[in-house]
Amino acid sequence: MAAFEELPEGCIATILSRTTPLDAGRLSLISKTFRSAADSDAVWDQFLPSDPNFIDSIISQSPSLANIQTKKALYLALSDRPIIIDNGKKSFQLNRKSGKKCIMLAARSFAITWGDDERYWNWIAMPESRFPEVAKLNHVWWLEIRGMINTLALSANTQYGAYLVFKMIDPSGFENLPVDLSVGVEGGNNNTKIVCLDSNVEPMWHIAGRRNRDWNRHMRRLQDRVVGLPRPNIRSDEWLEIEMGEFFNSSLEHEEVHMSVIETKAGQLKYNFFVEGIEIRPK
């Protein structure tokens, strides 16, 4: 290591730029020379997205970033919190450890069946959401939500997962209902998984003395439909999320990834479902 430290700072910076942001941070602890090299623009420029027009576009949509003086500080700012872009229809953030792009599509960017009909859906502000609006389901029997992202907006050579982000407040219609989630590249195979969006795993049919035997049998049959299905988890921001599927972005071609949330078979009334968006992040 001593011989390594004797290299010129520029050489050390070149070596560090071939690692990862996490590695550069760790190696900066070796010595003052390493710390100086690890803090240099030459290193952090390699960790930022390679398209300068993309970075300029992000900065133009978040003016507070314009005054940042170093590439490391810019990287840290871009990875610190989601930045709202595209007129409130997306958010952008860098993964702190890898520098890979994370994108969340807001519900406003989706094609939602009857989404513009206030009898079925409303667009409301929620203080805990990163976006100006979320979609509130008033009531539908037919649930169909579709989103799309171009692979050019994502990091190349990266395995991504797509996650539905939502809340339920006094909901109905989801507790015993299988829902189809799908992710796939246009023209390729779609990966579909069946899930239950209700996070409450406690069955209702066991409640003794409240209903008759036929009702209990009926509830047991309904519960059997969702036994063992994936269910959502609580995120650090207190929204629920469930993985819809995954895909590999080679970025060799201009492609579109399509995602959907569909339940059209049960004929079951559903309401009080709040959709924030779909997050696409590296796995």
Side-chain angles (χ1 to χ4, degrees):
M1 181 62 72
F4 196 40
E5 291 183 35
E6 293 174 1
L7 291 172
E9 184 179 313
C11 291
I12 296 175
T14 299
I15 294 169
L16 293 179
S17 70
R18 302 294 195 273
T19 64
T20 68
L22 182 61
D23 291 333
R26 289 170 174 168
L27 292 170
S28 70
L29 302 176
I30 291 175
S31 68
K32 291 182 179 180
T33 302
F34 265 77
R35 183 163 58 251
S36 179
D39 288 343
S40 68
D41 281 354
V43 171
W44 291 91
D45 192 48
Q46 295 300 310
F47 298 150
L48 289 166
S50 58
D51 183 356
N53 293 328
F54 177 81
I55 293 295
D56 290 343
S57 173
I58 296 296
I59 292 175
S60 70
Q61 297 178 72
S62 184
S64 63
L65 298 174
N67 298 322
I68 294 178
Q69 299 299 313
T70 69
K71 294 297 179 66
K72 180 180 179 179
L74 178 59
Y75 178 94
L76 294 176
L78 292 174
S79 62
D80 182 58
R81 58 179 176 79
I83 297 167
I84 306 304
I85 60 175
D86 291 1
N87 298 314
K89 293 185 177 180
K90 292 179 186 175
S91 73
F92 167 82
Q93 189 172 10
L94 293 180
N95 180 281
R96 176 65 65 94
K97 293 181 178 180
S98 68
K100 302 288 188 178
K101 296 176 183 176
C102 306
I103 302 288
M104 183 185 279
L105 305 176
R108 263 299 184 190
S109 70
F110 300 159
I112 301 178
T113 300
W114 300 304
D116 294 325
D117 190 326
E118 292 183 356
R119 293 175 298 174
Y120 305 110
W121 292 86
N122 281 133
W123 295 93
I124 65 171
M126 295 184 73
E128 61 268 36
S129 174
R130 67 182 65 180
F131 296 115
E133 295 177 303
V134 302
K136 175 184 180 289
L137 173 59
N138 293 329
H139 68 272
V140 295
W141 285 267
W142 182 292
L143 179 67
E144 185 173 4
I145 301 171
R146 297 183 184 275
M148 184 273 292
I149 190 169
N150 193 290
T151 54
L152 294 179
L154 303 171
S155 296
N157 300 315
T158 302
Q159 187 77 16
Y160 274 97
Y163 302 83
L164 178 67
V165 182
F166 63 98
K167 280 192 175 185
M168 291 187 177
I169 303 174
D170 297 325
S172 182
F174 291 94
E175 58 272 14
N176 297 301
L177 189 65
V179 176
D180 293 341
L181 306 182
S182 178
V183 175
V185 177
E186 185 178 32
N189 294 325
N190 276 3
N191 298 314
T192 300
K193 62 192 301 186
I194 302 173
V195 306
C196 181
L197 295 180
D198 182 17
S199 61
N200 182 14
V201 298
E202 182 181 0
M204 297 177 61
W205 52 262
H206 74 285
I207 303 175
R210 297 190 183 179
R211 297 282 181 168
N212 61 35
R213 188 174 300 173
D214 289 340
W215 185 88
N216 284 341
R217 281 200 296 265
H218 172 66
M219 292 305 297
R220 189 178 289 109
R221 284 195 298 270
L222 290 179
Q223 182 70 22
D224 287 344
R225 296 190 303 176
V226 296
V227 169
L229 293 183
R231 291 180 184 259
N233 298 310
I234 299 178
R235 293 160 50 98
S236 60
D237 59 8
E238 299 185 352
W239 288 79
L240 295 173
E241 76 168 23
I242 191 165
E243 183 174 343
M244 302 176 65
E246 59 185 78
F247 61 95
F248 182 74
N249 180 32
S250 65
S251 201
L252 296 177
E253 298 180 8
H254 176 81
E255 295 178 318
E256 292 180 347
V257 178
H258 293 262
M259 298 152 284
S260 64
V261 181
I262 296 177
E263 199 296 298
T264 59
K265 301 174 183 177
Q268 193 163 318
L269 185 64
K270 298 167 278 289
Y271 57 82
N272 286 354
F273 175 58
F274 299 78
V275 184
E276 183 177 40
I278 295 175
E279 186 170 60
I280 300 101
R281 64 176 187 258
K283 298 202 72 176

